[in-house]
Amino acid sequence: MKLPTPRWWYVREGRPGPLLHLLLKPLSWVWAAATARRIARGRPVDPGVPVICVGNLTLGGTGKTPVVAALARRLAGREWRPAILSRGYGGSLEGPVRVDPSRHAASEVGDEPLMLAAALPGVAVWVARDRVAGALEAAHEGADIILLDDGHQNPALRKALSLVVSDGETRDGEWPLGDGGVFPAGPLREPLAAGLARADAVILLLPADLEAPDPDLVAALSGPPLLRARLIPEGAPPEGPQVGFAGVGKPWKVERALRAAGCDLVDFAAFPDHAPWTPARLDALDDLARAHGAGLVTTSKDWVRLPPAWREKVRAWPVEAVFDSPAEVDALFERLPRPGA
């Protein structure tokens, strides 16, 4: 059973449920120690081509996947042959397998790889439980650079660049890093200082309607170079009344973004990240939309998990990551060795 992301994780001070937080603290120490031990004992393998890791400091909800897509487009535009490598969370195939949107389903390869493969037809997207095997296969099939989608805490591959993506939303009392607590007492995958120490740059992803980042958040992420990007809708939301729904890391961000973009949102249903769209859930959403005389709108990630018949009933609302200074991204790429050079 998938559980929703605890919203109290993202409270900087005065979090609710202090007793629960206290009880979870010992488990967070165990998690942090196990992560540190795994990283320290890792023997990274060089797949023969540069690897750019795009990871998280926290457990999801940062906008990492749109950043991966934006980096892949930029690399391809600079005459690299990028491949994206994902674990394929939620998919049944162990891989390595190249994702083909015409024959694979999200239940086989995971929703994020399927979404990336559909959005980037010229870029190979691979899923593999074994990251080394996936990287070697991608390189063998012609990739000259690999974008590792998630893996900042995975030491299996040698990384030419390690980038971490951080959510930049700080309104309504929200704080992307919580109070600094490590899972399960907070959203961090490891202590913040440890994660930043291995990062070559931080990408701070701001909502489209947030003018500037919070200076305190910028200070908290200090150390590596900080690049700014924005999560921009690719188009306007559907017209007329809409019932929105999302099964992502922070579904409340989707609701907020739809409203900020001018959507006539009459209701919104939040689900856990990667939630399966069971017939009961879909029928309930359909009933809710009918009761409001509204359409249904969701994220691209959620849309690819829908059964084919339902994709005609639901509108996807895609977004993309746009860098404030593309030249800063290009400067990072200039540090990478070209294969054979």
Side-chain angles (χ1 to χ4, degrees), residues 125-305:
V125 179
W126 293 82
V127 294
R129 297 286 192 273
D130 184 331
R131 305 295 182 89
V132 173
L136 292 173
E137 185 70 15
H140 176 73
E141 291 297 320
D144 60 10
I145 192 165
I146 292 169
L147 281 165
L148 179 60
D149 185 0
D150 211 352
H152 191 58
Q153 291 77 26
N154 186 318
L157 288 169
R158 182 178 297 172
K159 298 157 187 171
L161 279 178
S162 288
L163 311 177
V164 292
V165 182
S166 175
D167 183 8
E169 180 61 84
T170 53
R171 293 170 294 187
D172 299 330
E174 192 168 329
W175 193 251
L177 307 173
D179 71 346
V182 174
F183 176 84
L188 290 173
R189 297 186 179 201
E190 59 182 318
L192 180 61
L196 289 174
R198 298 194 315 281
D200 293 297
V202 174
I203 298 172
L204 185 60
L205 191 58
L206 301 172
D209 62 324
L210 185 60
E211 184 175 347
D214 188 309
D216 287 346
L217 181 59
V218 172
L221 296 170
S222 64
L226 186 71
L227 283 63
R228 298 180 188 177
R230 294 182 183 276
L231 206 55
I232 305 294
E234 293 184 13
E239 295 183 358
Q242 300 292 321
V243 169
F245 66 97
V248 296
K250 295 178 179 177
W252 60 86
K253 287 181 58 179
V254 178
E255 179 181 6
R256 182 190 284 139
L258 281 165
R259 294 190 189 282
C263 183
D264 180 11
L265 202 61
V266 295
D267 209 336
F268 187 86
F271 297 91
D273 199 9
H274 307 283
W277 299 130
T278 62
R281 279 177 171 164
L282 292 173
D283 287 343
L285 287 168
D286 195 32
D287 290 344
L288 186 59
R290 289 177 184 274
H292 286 291
L296 286 164
V297 61
T298 192
T299 69
S300 296
K301 172 178 166 177
D302 290 298
W303 190 85
V304 299
R305 294 203 309 280

